[in-house]
Amino acid sequence: MKRTPHARHLPLLVTASLVLLVFIAGALVYPRFASFGVVRNLMVDNAFLAVAAVGATFVILSGAIDLSIGSVMAFTSILLATLIEQHGWHPLAAIAFAVIVGGAFGLAQGLIIQAFELPAFLVTLAGMFIARGGAFLVHPQSLGIKHPFVADVLNERLSLVLPVGPHGVTIPLLVDIALLAIAAAAVVLSFTRLGRNVYAVGDHEQGAMLMGLNIRATRLSVFTISGLCSALAGVVFTLYQQSGDPAACKGLELDAIAAVVIGGTLLRGGIGSVLGSSLGVLLLGLIQTIVTFQGNLNSWWTKIVVGFLVLAFVALQRRFTR
Amino acid sequence: MPADSPLLSVRSLSKRFGAVVALDSIDLDVSPGSIHALMGENGAGKSTLIRCLMGAVRRDGGTVLFEGTACDPASPRHAEAAGLSTVFQEVGLIPHMSVAENITLGRESRRWGLIDRREARARARRALARLGLTIDVDQELGGCSIALQQLVAIARALDVSARLLILDEPTSSLDRRETAELFAVLRRLRDEGVGIIFVTHFLEQVYQLCDRITVLRDGAHVVTRDTRDLPRPQLIAAMLGRTPAAPGASVTSAAPADAAPLLRATGLRRRESIEHADLTIPRGAAVGLAGLLGSGRSELARMLFGIDRPQGGRIELNGETFSPRSPRDAIARGIALTPENRKSDGIVPNLSVRENIVLALQARRGVLRSLSRREQDAIADEFIARLGIKTPHREAPISTLSGGNQQKALLARWLAANPALLILDEPTRGIDIGAKQEIESLIRGLINGGAGVLFISSELSELVRACSRIVVLKDRRTIGELRAPGLSEEHILEAIAAHA
Ligand SMILES: Nc1ncnc2c1ncn2[C@@H]1O[C@H](COP(=O)(O)OP(=O)(O)OP(=O)(O)O)[C@@H](O)[C@H]1O
Ligand SMILES: [Mg+2]
């Protein structure tokens, strides 16, 4: 019985096919579904979730979990808003600072997990509360951002314009950020020692240790990357909303985890890809779009469908990986 | 190099696990350019010593000098950086990564910070070629046979130019050809000045390969001598702490040869597994399966046990058609299999030794007729004593036992279940000589009780001793059967060689 690497890419293929199928179904049922505007909105509306899912992919591949993602996003967004609106920081400086804070937060969580040999679940659960509380400390309610640089440059002029069609195709900056993050993560995971170590640690930690891999450094990097991605997702979210909100993104880490699982990554670690997670995000977004198009459906239907999808994928993985 | 400047010098190294003293003040000197055998019964402390040297567990006390400087690695990573390289006993590498990645992981050459995958594959091919292997390096490791996984682990250890190479039972799943290739490489390394520590339970390999022998018993150092000064009987006595009993007589069939067979398989085949297999197992007899690595021995066993379904041919059990859909069907009909890969298919690591032993018996009886605790204790104690399973008590988690002792407990599970047909896939791998004899006598007991045994082993001498018939497999086909008078290792090898 030879197991080729193809067998474990099957969930990925299934996700990709589902994305296509759902899109085609939508296009057949709703006349204006297959339009450029719908696709564009799909990308814009889900850019921040995609970035969050990139970080979650690293953590889950390594066999751990990060529950602080949503709170760190909220913290980042309100920190950005206050720095820009109330302290007169330039948006670029504020963004750089916020991302560094997010990375440091992730690193700190990793250090605590390592030093006291605590489960990631509990430490990041604590992190979730701390970041959420911290967000409200920074500013107790949402705060709009009116800085012209954000509105004009970041959200308008920095958009990528592809020379396609009569007017060109505009890809907003926040989508570019998400695509860049996905591409960078894919390269790191496939072509760097860190990336391969993440897989090895998630697949067989004891073996990886005996093979002389640096488990500690790998785990710390993973949590730092997750923190960085959460903060970056917070930045994208802030650009999207044009405001900061300490109450935002509640439970978003669970959406990210769902996207990762639907994308074919094993919750136990060791198998999966960031491409899969991105497809997972797309699928979640598409389902949401369909529910919206249907109009008479309660939007909670999205959650129910997602729940069944997660179940189906967990079952699929049990079947194809041992 | 002069004998007074050892490469590795260990002084009074100690290690305890709770109340178990695994190593008690061990001394060991390994010279550069020599192969040093580390011998001892299962649970003697060999692997623990190696794990201490590599920093996989921290020692409690003692000093280690490597090339004259103190050596106390915090982890195998540090030990590797210092110039030590190890093949650990049966720890898998990374199952869902490719063979090439497993060989190069953590040492990949990079261009502009990115891993050069082509170079990694080429390097893996070179590392395997040193062992005489040309295989697809892109296949997933977890799908490879145990022997191949072991060879990949060896290739990985050889891929760095270490000054001290440690091999913990590297040959346990290998057959003669691979072992010979490995030995050629090890001799070459020795001649280049590398020091080698070699652990095995195959005595003949020690005398073929090693320059010096150190024997451990119950965590204590017993003797260190040049190989030529420690002849076989004395080595065995040093390991056991007593002179061994004479080996039992070889087995003969307990039932007349023409009695209705227990199991008859004809024309079995399955894609990528077996091309054609005929096999008859009489009642009260042990049938051996001989063949080279990859000849399809384990695959045939898997079909009989219902793990893989044949795509052609038929199986008859007690004269009735038998087509098991799952191991449960096979177990219900009284068939038992001790799998080749005990780590993933066999032991339940968190259960105690007792629970692991009574598992199959309990399963056969069903939930309603459960074994009383006293019966369980009695059965567990009996097998712990008969097989000499070294464990602090029957309630210790099986994962804390040494490799060979886990294997003994797994065998005990199926022997205790009293099966009608017992399939043993490499049962004595990693088991010390004392226990091997006891296992052979347990098999004899089963046969005399009318059971059938299918015995797969790469150790031909063992097959010849235990079996009254031997079926030879080659290239996934059965190519013939040898019967009791006229069974010998030479005949088996001839049969394999003759069939082109
Ligand atoms: N993690 C552990 N916890 C408790 N006891 C342990 C642990 N690891 C090893 N031991 C005990 O230490 C002793 C020595 O084990 P070790 O694995 O070194 O034996 P070994 O000589 O390598 O045997 P084998 O030939 O079976 O591989 C055994 O009694 C074993 O039960
Ligand atoms: Mg051992």
Side-chain angles (χ1 to χ4, degrees):
Chain A
M1 260 226 330
K2 233 194 226 171
R3 260 184 302 153
T4 54
H6 305 303
R8 77 189 136 102
H9 291 314
L10 197 87
L12 187 71
L13 286 179
V14 172
T15 317
S17 324
L18 272 180
V19 169
L20 264 179
L21 266 177
V22 172
F23 187 81
I24 292 172
L28 290 178
V29 176
Y30 311 105
R32 279 187 324 196
F33 192 88
S35 70
F36 179 69
V38 168
V39 175
R40 190 190 129 104
N41 283 346
L42 183 66
M43 308 254 272
V44 171
D45 294 344
N46 290 287
F48 61 89
L49 179 58
V51 178
V54 166
T57 307
F58 273 86
V59 184
I60 293 175
L61 277 177
S62 80
I65 196 103
D66 185 353
L67 297 180
S68 69
I69 295 174
S71 305
V72 172
M73 285 174 67
F75 182 85
T76 310
S77 90
I78 193 63
L79 181 67
L80 271 181
T82 357
L83 286 178
I84 296 170
E85 291 299 313
Q86 301 193 335
H87 300 276
W89 285 44
H90 188 275
L92 286 183
I95 287 174
F97 179 71
V99 169
I100 291 171
V101 170
F105 189 83
L107 176 63
Q109 295 192 106
L111 283 170
I112 294 168
I113 290 167
Q114 293 277 322
F116 303 105
E117 292 179 7
L118 295 171
F121 184 90
L122 294 179
V123 173
T124 58
L125 182 69
M128 171 177 113
F129 285 113
I130 292 169
R132 181 68 66 187
F136 280 95
L137 273 189
V138 171
H139 194 82
Q141 63 261 329
S142 78
L143 181 62
I145 301 178
K146 299 181 184 64
H147 197 290
F149 185 82
V150 173
D152 297 348
V153 181
L154 294 185
N155 276 353
E156 290 295 337
R157 264 194 279 152
L158 270 183
S159 302
L160 199 67
V161 182
L162 297 180
V164 184
H167 311 291
V169 172
T170 320
I171 306 181
L173 178 69
L174 40 96
V175 175
D176 296 333
I177 294 178
L179 293 177
L180 263 180
I182 292 165
V187 170
V188 168
L189 282 174
S190 297
F191 291 102
T192 66
R193 281 196 190 166
L194 170 65
R196 301 322 293 166
N197 287 0
V198 169
Y199 281 93
V201 168
D203 201 1
H204 185 18
E205 176 165 5
Q206 177 74 4
M209 187 271 284
L210 293 176
M211 284 164 90
L213 304 186
N214 195 339
I215 310 293
R216 206 184 126 80
T218 306
R219 289 209 175 283
L220 287 182
S221 311
V222 158
F223 282 101
T224 310
I225 289 173
S226 181
L228 284 172
C229 286
S230 308
L232 193 61
V235 171
V236 173
F237 178 76
T238 314
L239 292 179
Y240 175 67
Q241 298 270 316
Q242 303 257 11
S243 70
D245 182 2
C249 302
K250 280 221 171 91
L252 192 116
E253 55 279 343
L254 303 182
D255 292 333
I257 292 169
V260 170
V261 170
I262 291 174
T265 296
L266 215 58
L267 209 46
R268 182 169 63 65
I271 299 178
S273 67
V274 71
L275 179 64
S277 306
S278 317
L279 288 172
V281 171
L282 264 188
L283 190 55
L284 296 191
L286 270 174
I287 293 166
Q288 175 74 55
T289 313
I290 295 229
V291 169
T292 320
F293 259 78
Q294 182 61 28
N296 56 0
L297 273 182
N298 189 318
S299 76
W300 291 106
W301 276 103
T302 314
K303 303 273 176 202
I304 292 172
V305 175
V306 170
F308 279 110
L309 266 182
V310 169
L311 272 181
F313 271 85
V314 172
L316 186 71
Q317 286 176 341
R318 257 204 87 71
R319 180 80 184 74
F320 284 99
T321 51
R322 282 207 319 154
Chain B
M1 212 174 270
D4 55 325
S5 68
L7 179 68
L8 179 83
S9 170
V10 179
R11 288 292 168 273
S12 50
L13 190 149
S14 299
K15 176 71 193 174
R16 320 169 60 106
F17 293 102
V20 178
V21 181
L23 293 173
D24 181 14
S25 197
I26 300 289
D27 293 347
L28 175 70
D29 284 309
V30 179
S31 316
S34 81
I35 304 181
H36 200 121
L38 196 56
M39 305 289 295
E41 283 186 288
N42 296 131
K46 306 175 296 288
S47 300
T48 305
L49 176 57
I50 291 167
R51 295 168 72 88
C52 286
L53 290 178
M54 292 301 290
V57 294
R58 298 311 291 265
R59 58 186 192 241
D60 297 338
T63 56
V64 177
L65 293 183
F66 181 63
E67 295 177 326
T69 53
C71 174
D72 188 12
S75 78
R77 185 164 59 91
H78 297 92
E80 272 191 20
L84 285 75
S85 180
T86 298
V87 178
F88 288 96
Q89 182 179 9
E90 64 185 34
V91 264
L93 304 177
I94 311 296
H96 291 106
M97 282 191 169
S98 72
V99 168
E101 280 196 278
N102 268 291
I103 291 176
T104 56
L105 199 62
R107 318 163 175 155
E108 302 95 342
S109 44
R110 289 171 293 185
R111 271 198 301 188
W112 300 324
L114 298 187
I115 292 171
D116 186 346
R117 291 202 165 180
R118 231 169 27 157
E119 159 67 21
R121 278 201 290 271
R123 183 165 163 190
R125 277 193 211 102
R126 280 197 301 277
L128 289 164
R130 292 177 77 181
L131 294 168
L133 284 174
T134 42
I135 56 164
D136 171 16
V137 295
D138 290 323
Q139 63 184 311
E140 208 172 87
L141 183 87
C144 300
S145 70
I146 301 302
L148 200 48
Q149 295 192 25
Q150 198 164 40
L151 287 165
V152 171
I154 295 171
R156 176 181 171 84
L158 294 177
D159 186 46
V160 285
S161 41
R163 269 106 58 213
L164 180 65
L165 180 63
I166 306 175
L167 301 142
D168 195 353
E169 301 196 28
T171 55
S172 57
S173 330
L174 304 189
D175 70 19
R176 291 169 182 235
R177 201 169 58 88
E178 284 89 12
T179 306
E181 296 272 5
L182 172 65
F183 284 7
V185 176
L186 294 183
R187 289 195 186 100
R188 208 153 59 228
L189 287 173
R190 167 183 62 191
D191 297 340
E192 290 164 11
V194 175
I196 296 170
I197 298 178
F198 187 82
V199 179
T200 185
H201 289 289
F202 298 115
L203 300 189
E204 62 275 22
Q205 295 187 357
V206 174
Y207 287 98
Q208 271 171 36
L209 183 72
C210 300
D211 306 306
R212 229 169 137 71
I213 301 176
T214 287
V215 177
L216 303 183
R217 188 169 66 236
D218 294 333
H221 177 262
V222 180
V223 66
T224 297
R225 278 219 210 120
D226 282 342
T227 308
R228 59 178 175 279
D229 300 331
L230 192 62
R232 212 172 162 119
Q234 272 157 274
L235 171 60
I236 295 175
M239 284 165 51
L240 301 183
R242 59 184 158 81
T243 24
S250 75
V251 206
T252 42
S253 177
D258 50 291
L262 177 63
L263 180 137
R264 185 203 304 274
T266 40
L268 287 188
R269 67 182 165 75
R270 183 184 157 86
R271 222 158 44 89
E272 288 188 2
S273 158
I274 288 285
E275 277 178 26
H276 183 100
D278 298 324
L279 177 71
T280 304
I281 304 174
R283 269 169 240 284
V287 176
L289 270 189
L292 300 176
L293 252 181
S295 56
R297 292 167 298 178
S298 301
E299 286 80 355
L300 184 51
R302 290 168 65 93
M303 273 191 223
L304 299 182
F305 196 56
I307 302 173
D308 296 335
R309 298 189 68 180
Q311 291 164 332
R314 59 187 268 130
I315 307 174
E316 280 170 41
L317 188 67
N318 293 318
E320 298 164 25
T321 305
F322 171 60
S323 42
R325 294 162 171 275
S326 71
R328 266 183 51 186
D329 291 349
I331 292 169
R333 302 286 297 268
I335 302 180
L337 169 78
T338 65
E340 182 187 24
N341 186 355
R342 65 173 164 274
K343 269 273 149 63
S344 65
D345 302 339
I347 62 162
V348 188
N350 296 325
L351 292 189
S352 70
V353 177
R354 167 184 56 84
E355 289 166 311
N356 267 285
I357 290 179
V358 300
L359 201 62
L361 186 56
Q362 183 67 72
R364 264 192 89 178
R365 289 192 144 203
V367 272
L368 295 179
R369 291 176 37 249
S370 73
L371 285 168
S372 76
R373 183 57 190 268
R374 190 170 327 153
E375 286 171 291
Q376 295 188 17
D377 289 351
I379 292 165
D381 285 343
E382 182 199 331
F383 280 95
I384 289 172
R386 282 198 75 174
L387 297 179
I389 299 174
K390 195 164 171 256
T391 171
H393 45 82
R394 64 174 111 80
E395 300 306 323
I398 197 167
S399 55
T400 66
L401 266 55
S402 79
N405 284 305
Q406 292 183 12
Q407 175 73 348
K408 291 182 193 174
L410 192 60
L411 272 174
R413 174 194 298 171
W414 294 110
L415 293 169
N418 218 346
L421 170 61
L422 177 61
I423 306 173
L424 298 159
D425 195 354
E426 302 284 359
T428 59
R429 166 183 310 153
I431 281 190
D432 59 43
I433 34 171
K436 271 183 192 162
Q437 283 180 17
E438 191 58 38
I439 287 166
E440 282 176 24
S441 93
L442 280 166
I443 291 177
R444 261 194 299 281
L446 275 180
I447 290 171
N448 290 335
V453 172
L454 183 66
F455 194 166
I456 302 174
S457 174
S458 299
E459 245 183 293
L460 297 184
S461 59
E462 189 174 78
L463 279 186
V464 170
R465 253 196 329 276
C467 302
S468 50
R469 306 176 176 191
I470 291 175
V471 172
V472 182
L473 274 160
K474 184 173 186 184
D475 298 334
R476 310 185 174 275
R477 294 172 157 273
T478 48
I479 57 169
E481 186 182 275
L482 305 169
R483 291 211 183 184
L487 269 186
S488 71
E489 295 183 47
E490 287 71 34
H491 285 138
I492 300 173
L493 290 172
E494 274 167 25
I496 294 175
H499 191 90

